[in-house]
């Protein structure tokens, strides 16, 4: 099974470590597309800070993020699983997984990125700031930049098992599974259920959506061998105590009452 994750806005800066080696990242066929984004991002952030902040959607108080981007090629790099932080990754808590669950995580988790396209949690990267919704002056929209390279690379990465898609909309736009692969791709929506005047009301949660998805992935990784079919995925999630409803072909609603 392949699990597609969004990155996090916040990232833990590596205190020490060798700098980035772009050629050592997984999916090396993405190398030219990665270098194109990296070159422009470093050049942009090494120049006019005001322009860089405008392009990246940063505030005046986030000037340090611009300076960090300017130094990406020389900054210390650490495994991506240590760099990404935030609600989803806090709930996933990769560092505390046992050895078997860590092996499953290394084999199954794929993190989307506006800068790298995709990375494995073992890929060594520096902390950066470049969301999937950014439009760089030269390359344009990163979602469009990545569509072709990812469409060529990811079907082989997906293998023959189910694909669990937990990405947010900006990253889902970078690659949409097609054909037979789309038939075994499952997206998840998290809904909060509340009883109001004796009637159940459901609403899409935002912040806690990420926490639920992080816990869900953690539970799958620790439960044992990952499901090999979409049908088995539903059965495993229900066995783990999740209230799962098949809202449409290829789409699951996970209904929670406590966030």
């Amino acid at each position: 099974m392949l699990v597609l994750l969004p990155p996090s806005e916040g990232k833990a800066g590596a205190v020490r470590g060798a700098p980035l080696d772009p050629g050592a990242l997984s999916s090396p066929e993405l190398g030219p597309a990665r270098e194109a984004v990296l070159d422009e991002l470093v050049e942009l952030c090494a120049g006019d800070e005001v322009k860089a902040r405008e392009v990246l959607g940063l505030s005046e108080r986030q000037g340090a993020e611009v300076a960090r981007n300017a130094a990406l090629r020389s900054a210390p790099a650490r495994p991506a699983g240590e760099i990404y932080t935030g609600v989803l990754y806090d709930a996933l808590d990769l560092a505390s997984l046992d050895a078997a669950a860590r092996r499953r995580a290394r084999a199954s988790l794929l993190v989307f990125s506006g800068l790298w396209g995709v990375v494995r949690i073992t890929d060594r990267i520096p902390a950066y700031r470049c969301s999937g919704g950014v439009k760089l002056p030269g390359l344009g929209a990163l979602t469009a930049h990545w569509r072709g390279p990812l469409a060529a690379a990811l079907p082989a990465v997906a293998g023959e098992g189910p694909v669990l898609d937990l990405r947010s909309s900006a990253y889902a736009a970078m690659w949409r599974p097609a054909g037979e692969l789309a038939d075994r791709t499952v997206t998840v929506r998290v809904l909060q259920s509340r009883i109001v005047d004796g009637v159940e009301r459901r609403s899409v949660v935002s912040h806690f959506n990420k926490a639920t998805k992080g816990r869900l992935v953690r539970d799958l990784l620790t439960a044992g061998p990952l499901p090999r079919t979409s049908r088995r995925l539903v059965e495993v999630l229900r066995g783990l105590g999740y209230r799962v409803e098949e809202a449409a072909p290829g789409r699951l609603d996970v209904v929670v009452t406590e966030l």
Side-chain angles (χ1 to χ4, degrees):
M1 186 172 80
L2 187 67
V3 181
L4 311 181
L5 296 176
S8 58
E9 288 263 331
K11 300 177 183 69
V15 176
R16 61 186 181 279
L20 169 73
D21 178 2
L25 297 177
S26 59
S27 299
E29 61 271 37
L30 299 178
R34 287 170 173 152
E35 289 286 356
V37 181
L38 183 60
D39 283 345
E40 184 168 354
L41 184 62
V42 169
E43 182 179 358
L44 171 70
C45 292
D48 185 339
E49 180 188 318
V50 174
K51 180 180 179 181
R53 284 195 281 104
E54 180 182 342
V55 170
L56 298 175
L58 303 176
S59 69
E60 244 181 271
R61 291 181 292 182
Q62 293 175 298
E65 300 277 8
V66 174
R68 186 154 68 174
N69 279 352
L72 282 173
R73 289 195 179 275
S74 59
R78 299 290 294 168
E82 299 175 18
I83 294 293
Y84 292 117
T85 60
V87 177
L88 188 153
Y89 291 90
D90 286 347
L92 176 53
D93 196 8
L94 290 165
S96 69
L97 293 174
D98 63 32
R102 283 198 300 272
R103 286 194 297 272
R104 295 182 194 109
R106 290 193 293 267
S108 64
L109 303 187
L110 196 67
V111 183
F112 278 67
S113 163
L115 173 53
W116 314 114
V118 292
V119 290
R120 296 285 189 175
I121 60 170
T122 51
D123 283 331
R124 296 179 64 262
I125 59 173
Y128 65 96
R129 189 63 175 262
C130 183
S131 72
V134 162
K135 294 181 179 180
L136 291 175
L139 289 176
L142 291 180
T143 51
H145 172 76
W146 283 113
R147 281 191 193 116
L150 292 177
L154 292 190
V157 175
E160 298 181 356
V163 177
L164 179 59
D165 189 350
L166 303 178
R167 296 174 295 168
S168 52
S169 57
Y171 296 97
M174 289 170 57
W175 177 63
R176 299 190 188 280
E180 178 270 337
L181 183 53
D183 294 338
R184 50 187 167 92
T185 297
V186 177
T187 62
V188 169
R189 180 175 64 167
V190 179
L191 300 176
Q192 182 187 12
S193 171
R194 296 177 295 165
I195 303 300
V196 180
D197 297 328
V199 178
E200 183 187 32
R201 307 287 188 190
R202 293 182 178 181
S203 58
V204 176
V205 296
S206 53
H207 177 81
F208 293 101
N209 166 57
K210 298 176 183 178
T212 300
K213 288 179 177 178
R215 288 193 293 268
L216 184 150
V217 173
R218 181 182 177 85
D219 288 344
L220 284 171
L221 293 172
T222 57
L226 294 172
R228 295 188 176 183
T229 66
S230 301
R231 172 54 53 191
R232 180 59 182 155
L233 172 62
V234 174
E235 293 171 354
V236 170
L237 288 175
R238 287 174 175 161
L240 289 169
Y242 287 92
R243 182 179 170 188
V244 177
E245 298 177 0
E246 298 179 72
R251 196 184 81 194
L252 298 180
D253 284 345
V254 175
V255 183
V256 298
T257 54
E258 295 181 1
L259 301 175

Short mmCIF file of all heavy atoms in Angstrom, two decimals, residues 2-30:
data_model
loop_
_atom_site.label_atom_id
_atom_site.label_comp_id
_atom_site.label_asym_id
_atom_site.label_seq_id
_atom_site.Cartn_x
_atom_site.Cartn_y
_atom_site.Cartn_z
N LEU A 2 0.44 2.24 -0.75
CA LEU A 2 1.12 3.52 -0.79
C LEU A 2 0.23 4.57 -0.12
O LEU A 2 -0.97 4.64 -0.40
CB LEU A 2 1.41 3.94 -2.23
CG LEU A 2 2.28 5.19 -2.43
CD1 LEU A 2 3.71 4.93 -1.94
CD2 LEU A 2 2.29 5.60 -3.90
N VAL A 3 0.81 5.37 0.78
CA VAL A 3 0.06 6.40 1.48
C VAL A 3 0.59 7.76 1.05
O VAL A 3 1.79 8.05 1.21
CB VAL A 3 0.19 6.24 3.01
CG1 VAL A 3 -0.61 7.33 3.72
CG2 VAL A 3 -0.26 4.86 3.45
N LEU A 4 -0.28 8.59 0.49
CA LEU A 4 0.11 9.91 0.01
C LEU A 4 -0.20 10.94 1.08
O LEU A 4 -1.36 11.08 1.51
CB LEU A 4 -0.65 10.26 -1.27
CG LEU A 4 -0.66 9.19 -2.38
CD1 LEU A 4 -1.43 9.71 -3.59
CD2 LEU A 4 0.76 8.77 -2.75
N LEU A 5 0.81 11.69 1.50
CA LEU A 5 0.66 12.68 2.56
C LEU A 5 1.00 14.08 2.06
O LEU A 5 1.85 14.24 1.18
CB LEU A 5 1.61 12.35 3.73
CG LEU A 5 1.39 11.04 4.48
CD1 LEU A 5 2.49 10.85 5.52
CD2 LEU A 5 0.02 11.01 5.13
N PRO A 6 0.37 15.10 2.65
CA PRO A 6 0.81 16.46 2.39
C PRO A 6 2.05 16.74 3.24
O PRO A 6 2.30 16.02 4.22
CB PRO A 6 -0.38 17.31 2.86
CG PRO A 6 -0.93 16.51 4.01
CD PRO A 6 -0.76 15.05 3.61
N PRO A 7 2.82 17.77 2.92
CA PRO A 7 3.91 18.17 3.82
C PRO A 7 3.32 19.01 4.96
O PRO A 7 2.09 19.07 5.11
CB PRO A 7 4.79 19.03 2.92
CG PRO A 7 3.79 19.68 2.00
CD PRO A 7 2.69 18.66 1.77
N SER A 8 4.16 19.61 5.74
CA SER A 8 3.68 20.54 6.76
C SER A 8 4.21 21.93 6.44
O SER A 8 5.29 22.08 5.86
CB SER A 8 4.16 20.12 8.15
OG SER A 8 5.58 20.06 8.19
N GLU A 9 3.45 22.96 6.80
CA GLU A 9 3.94 24.33 6.64
C GLU A 9 5.17 24.54 7.51
O GLU A 9 6.18 25.07 7.08
CB GLU A 9 2.84 25.32 7.03
CG GLU A 9 1.69 25.40 6.04
CD GLU A 9 1.83 26.55 5.08
OE1 GLU A 9 2.45 27.57 5.44
OE2 GLU A 9 1.32 26.42 3.95
N GLY A 10 5.05 24.14 8.78
CA GLY A 10 6.18 24.27 9.69
C GLY A 10 7.15 23.12 9.51
O GLY A 10 6.77 21.99 9.21
N LYS A 11 8.43 23.43 9.70
CA LYS A 11 9.46 22.40 9.56
C LYS A 11 10.52 22.61 10.62
O LYS A 11 10.85 23.73 10.96
CB LYS A 11 10.07 22.45 8.16
CG LYS A 11 9.02 22.21 7.08
CD LYS A 11 9.56 22.33 5.70
CE LYS A 11 8.41 22.14 4.70
NZ LYS A 11 7.46 23.26 4.73
N ALA A 12 11.04 21.51 11.12
CA ALA A 12 12.10 21.57 12.11
C ALA A 12 13.43 21.75 11.40
O ALA A 12 13.80 20.94 10.54
CB ALA A 12 12.11 20.28 12.94
N GLY A 13 14.12 22.80 11.71
CA GLY A 13 15.42 23.03 11.09
C GLY A 13 16.44 22.02 11.59
O GLY A 13 16.48 21.70 12.77
N ALA A 14 17.25 21.49 10.69
CA ALA A 14 18.30 20.56 11.08
C ALA A 14 19.44 21.34 11.72
O ALA A 14 19.95 22.31 11.16
CB ALA A 14 18.81 19.80 9.86
N VAL A 15 19.83 20.94 12.91
CA VAL A 15 20.91 21.63 13.63
C VAL A 15 22.26 21.22 13.05
O VAL A 15 23.20 22.01 12.99
CB VAL A 15 20.84 21.31 15.13
CG1 VAL A 15 22.01 21.95 15.88
CG2 VAL A 15 19.51 21.78 15.71
N ARG A 16 22.36 19.99 12.65
CA ARG A 16 23.62 19.50 12.09
C ARG A 16 23.30 18.47 11.01
O ARG A 16 22.20 17.97 10.92
CB ARG A 16 24.50 18.88 13.18
CG ARG A 16 23.86 17.70 13.88
CD ARG A 16 24.71 17.21 15.06
NE ARG A 16 24.10 16.05 15.70
CZ ARG A 16 23.12 16.11 16.57
NH1 ARG A 16 22.62 17.29 16.91
NH2 ARG A 16 22.62 15.02 17.10
N GLY A 17 24.31 18.16 10.24
CA GLY A 17 24.13 17.19 9.18
C GLY A 17 24.76 17.67 7.89
O GLY A 17 24.95 18.88 7.68
N ALA A 18 25.11 16.74 7.04
CA ALA A 18 25.66 17.09 5.73
C ALA A 18 24.61 17.82 4.91
O ALA A 18 23.41 17.65 5.13
CB ALA A 18 26.11 15.82 5.01
N PRO A 19 25.03 18.65 3.97
CA PRO A 19 24.05 19.38 3.15
C PRO A 19 23.32 18.46 2.18
O PRO A 19 23.66 17.28 2.01
CB PRO A 19 24.91 20.41 2.41
CG PRO A 19 26.27 19.82 2.38
CD PRO A 19 26.42 19.02 3.65
N LEU A 20 22.32 19.01 1.55
CA LEU A 20 21.49 18.31 0.58
C LEU A 20 22.34 17.71 -0.54
O LEU A 20 23.23 18.35 -1.08
CB LEU A 20 20.49 19.31 -0.02
CG LEU A 20 19.70 18.85 -1.25
CD1 LEU A 20 18.63 17.84 -0.83
CD2 LEU A 20 19.04 20.06 -1.92
N ASP A 21 22.00 16.46 -0.89
CA ASP A 21 22.55 15.82 -2.09
C ASP A 21 21.36 15.49 -2.98
O ASP A 21 20.72 14.44 -2.82
CB ASP A 21 23.31 14.55 -1.72
CG ASP A 21 23.85 13.81 -2.95
OD1 ASP A 21 23.66 14.31 -4.08
OD2 ASP A 21 24.45 12.73 -2.77
N PRO A 22 21.00 16.38 -3.92
CA PRO A 22 19.81 16.16 -4.74
C PRO A 22 19.81 14.82 -5.45
O PRO A 22 18.75 14.20 -5.63
CB PRO A 22 19.83 17.33 -5.74
CG PRO A 22 20.64 18.39 -5.05
CD PRO A 22 21.68 17.64 -4.28
N GLY A 23 20.97 14.34 -5.86
CA GLY A 23 21.05 13.09 -6.59
C GLY A 23 20.76 11.86 -5.75
O GLY A 23 20.53 10.79 -6.30
N ALA A 24 20.75 12.03 -4.42
CA ALA A 24 20.50 10.90 -3.53
C ALA A 24 19.03 10.74 -3.17
O ALA A 24 18.65 9.78 -2.50
CB ALA A 24 21.32 11.04 -2.25
N LEU A 25 18.18 11.68 -3.59
CA LEU A 25 16.76 11.60 -3.26
C LEU A 25 16.11 10.45 -4.03
O LEU A 25 16.53 10.10 -5.14
CB LEU A 25 16.06 12.91 -3.61
CG LEU A 25 16.52 14.15 -2.84
CD1 LEU A 25 15.77 15.39 -3.34
CD2 LEU A 25 16.31 13.98 -1.34
N SER A 26 15.06 9.87 -3.45
CA SER A 26 14.31 8.82 -4.14
C SER A 26 13.64 9.39 -5.38
O SER A 26 13.55 10.61 -5.56
CB SER A 26 13.28 8.21 -3.19
OG SER A 26 12.39 9.21 -2.74
N SER A 27 13.16 8.51 -6.24
CA SER A 27 12.57 8.91 -7.53
C SER A 27 13.52 9.84 -8.29
O SER A 27 13.19 11.00 -8.60
CB SER A 27 11.21 9.59 -7.32
OG SER A 27 10.29 8.73 -6.70
N PRO A 28 14.74 9.37 -8.59
CA PRO A 28 15.74 10.24 -9.23
C PRO A 28 15.31 10.80 -10.58
O PRO A 28 15.86 11.81 -11.04
CB PRO A 28 16.96 9.33 -9.36
CG PRO A 28 16.42 7.94 -9.31
CD PRO A 28 15.24 8.01 -8.39
N GLU A 29 14.30 10.18 -11.22
CA GLU A 29 13.83 10.72 -12.49
C GLU A 29 13.20 12.10 -12.33
O GLU A 29 13.01 12.83 -13.33
CB GLU A 29 12.84 9.75 -13.15
CG GLU A 29 11.58 9.47 -12.33
CD GLU A 29 11.72 8.31 -11.38
OE1 GLU A 29 12.81 8.12 -10.80
OE2 GLU A 29 10.73 7.57 -11.20
N LEU A 30 12.88 12.49 -11.10
CA LEU A 30 12.35 13.83 -10.83
C LEU A 30 13.47 14.87 -10.70
O LEU A 30 13.19 16.04 -10.49
CB LEU A 30 11.51 13.84 -9.55
CG LEU A 30 10.28 12.94 -9.54
CD1 LEU A 30 9.59 13.02 -8.18
CD2 LEU A 30 9.30 13.34 -10.64
#
